[in-house]
Amino acid sequence: MAGGTGANSPLVDDLARAVHAGDWPTARAIGEYLCVDVTVAAYVSAS
């Protein structure tokens, strides 16, 4: 299982790796193939 998606698939694992690496073109392409929207929120520390 990848990234808390609740899905078990090599494509889901590829999607999780692409998001983790910041490879947005790949993440978008895989997301389109899987028919999912990819949204990532960034956390910025208030330091």
Side-chain angles (χ1 to χ4, degrees):
M1 179 171 29
T5 61
N8 189 6
S9 161
L11 281 175
V12 173
D13 293 338
D14 290 344
L15 176 60
R17 276 191 290 277
V19 169
H20 183 72
D23 183 355
W24 304 118
T26 299
R28 180 178 174 127
I30 295 170
E32 296 231 350
Y33 183 80
L34 293 172
C35 297
V36 297
D37 290 323
V38 176
T39 303
V40 177
Y43 172 78
V44 179
S45 176
S47 312

